[in-house]
Amino acid sequence: MNPALFDLEVLRSMVLVHDAGGLRQAAKRVGRTPSAVSIQMRKLEEQVAMPLFVKAGRRLTLNAAGQLLLGYARRLLAVEEEARHALGGAALQGGLRLGLLQDFAETILPDSLAAFIKAHPQVETEVIVDRSVNLMTMLREGDLDLALTFDPNRHPGSTLPATRVARAPMVWVARADYRPGPTLDLMFLQGPCVFRDAALKNLGEKQPWRQTLSTPSLSGIWAAVGAGLGLSVRTELGLPAGLTGARRLAGRPPLPMVEVTLTEADRLSPVALRLKAALLDTLRSRFAGSRVLA
């Protein structure tokens, strides 16, 4: 492998080839010709002394080595973005209102948000942790700038601009030693709930079930499941210790995937745009090497 340092612009092109779905689409994003981007990718393969791409029909996709490098590329670009944010932080002022699910607030984003706040001391950042349906309503009514949720198309405000970050598999959540009886005891957040809908559709009409808990609190769900009182459905993001997730129950098909989406207000201020970029960098780096990304 050539010991020369990676060119961040080349890595950026590689990420765009993957995210945009091919050379032509990536070339439009970076303002180059497809042949110029192709040359960048060939030079990158020469640098690492191995192929990174494979042809899939007319598309160019990453092989296993390319997927590995993709994760590192996202991290390097995120560090570059963080450095630029830090150097320009003093110029940014104003207020920010970010909505998060508890799934993200306690596990994936605390470090990223702390770094953003530290880099932009003159920005007043407000973080609201709530359910998807409430966050989307707040976004629609102008009370939030950004909201990171599951499946926003199910909720009011679905016409707002949105960026899909990942698709995460839903899982049946239970205590490790839990053994379900003939009638399943189920616990969900108060409706509307995409996870409840998916669970009941998955069970069909032949599997007896009863809902033993309905609560607005995800921590309440985790406490009840952790006490061995029944099953719930969520993703593996932020799953507490002592709980396990399974894609399927015996005799039933796998649960579906759910979208992880960053939705934004119609117009974002410069500081909100900066936070959006930082969040997307963090989330894509987090999901790039994760088994929850599909």
Side-chain angles (χ1 to χ4, degrees):
M1 176 173 160
N2 188 331
L5 295 175
F6 286 113
D7 185 328
L8 291 180
E9 290 308 311
V10 174
L11 292 180
R12 197 183 313 278
S13 294
M14 173 195 174
V15 171
L16 286 173
V17 168
H18 174 267
D19 291 350
L23 289 171
R24 187 175 301 277
Q25 296 89 333
K28 292 180 181 179
R29 299 271 294 272
V30 297
R32 296 174 178 266
T33 65
S35 60
V37 176
S38 179
I39 290 172
Q40 284 185 316
M41 298 305 97
R42 285 202 299 270
K43 289 184 176 179
L44 184 59
E45 289 181 322
E46 291 174 3
Q47 183 177 1
V48 299
M50 65 181 65
L52 299 171
F53 297 89
V54 293
K55 283 286 185 67
R58 295 185 177 182
R59 294 184 59 186
L60 199 62
T61 62
L62 293 172
N63 61 17
Q67 290 285 349
L68 179 63
L69 182 58
L70 177 68
Y72 287 105
R74 292 195 194 279
R75 288 162 60 185
L76 288 169
L77 293 170
V79 170
E80 181 214 23
E81 182 73 9
E82 183 180 336
R84 290 196 291 108
H85 289 175
L87 292 172
L92 289 177
Q93 300 183 24
L96 276 175
R97 297 160 301 175
L98 171 65
L100 295 177
L101 299 180
Q102 187 173 330
D103 309 66
F104 308 115
E106 297 180 356
T107 55
I108 299 176
L109 293 179
D111 291 344
S112 176
L113 286 173
F116 183 88
I117 292 169
K118 184 177 181 180
H120 306 290
Q122 298 185 53
V123 174
E124 182 179 346
T125 304
E126 181 181 2
V127 178
I128 294 90
V129 180
D130 208 329
R131 300 173 54 212
S132 290
V133 63
N134 295 335
L135 294 177
M136 294 305 298
T137 298
M138 294 176 68
L139 194 62
R140 180 193 59 189
E141 294 177 351
D143 296 325
L144 289 177
D145 298 299
L146 296 161
L148 185 65
T149 67
F150 290 124
D151 198 13
N153 291 328
R154 305 254 320 175
H155 306 299
S158 61
T159 60
L160 293 171
T163 303
R164 194 189 85 176
V165 178
R167 296 176 69 235
M170 296 185 187
V171 294
W172 293 99
V173 180
R175 199 167 73 176
D177 61 354
Y178 179 76
R179 297 295 179 267
T183 298
L184 298 181
D185 292 324
L186 304 180
M187 293 169 282
F188 299 107
L189 293 179
Q190 293 174 351
C193 177
V194 61
F195 296 98
R196 182 183 187 278
D197 294 346
L200 300 188
K201 183 177 180 179
N202 183 270
L203 292 176
E205 297 181 358
K206 294 183 179 180
Q207 173 62 59
W209 62 271
R210 60 189 176 191
Q211 185 165 337
T212 56
L213 177 64
S214 177
T215 173
S217 168
L218 181 59
S219 59
I221 296 289
W222 293 152
V225 173
L229 301 181
L231 295 166
S232 190
V233 171
R234 205 67 184 178
T235 73
E236 291 184 309
L237 297 170
L239 204 61
L243 302 186
T244 61
R247 286 300 309 279
R248 67 172 75 208
L249 294 178
R252 305 308 306 161
L255 288 165
M257 310 290 284
V258 65
E259 302 278 347
V260 180
T261 306
L262 183 65
T263 309
E264 61 193 78
D266 282 322
R267 295 181 181 179
L268 291 183
S269 65
V271 66
L273 286 170
R274 185 69 62 87
L275 177 61
K276 174 187 172 183
L279 290 176
L280 288 176
D281 282 341
T282 298
L283 290 164
R284 284 169 173 161
S285 297
R286 164 65 174 80
F287 284 120
S290 172
R291 59 179 175 169
V292 302
L293 178 64

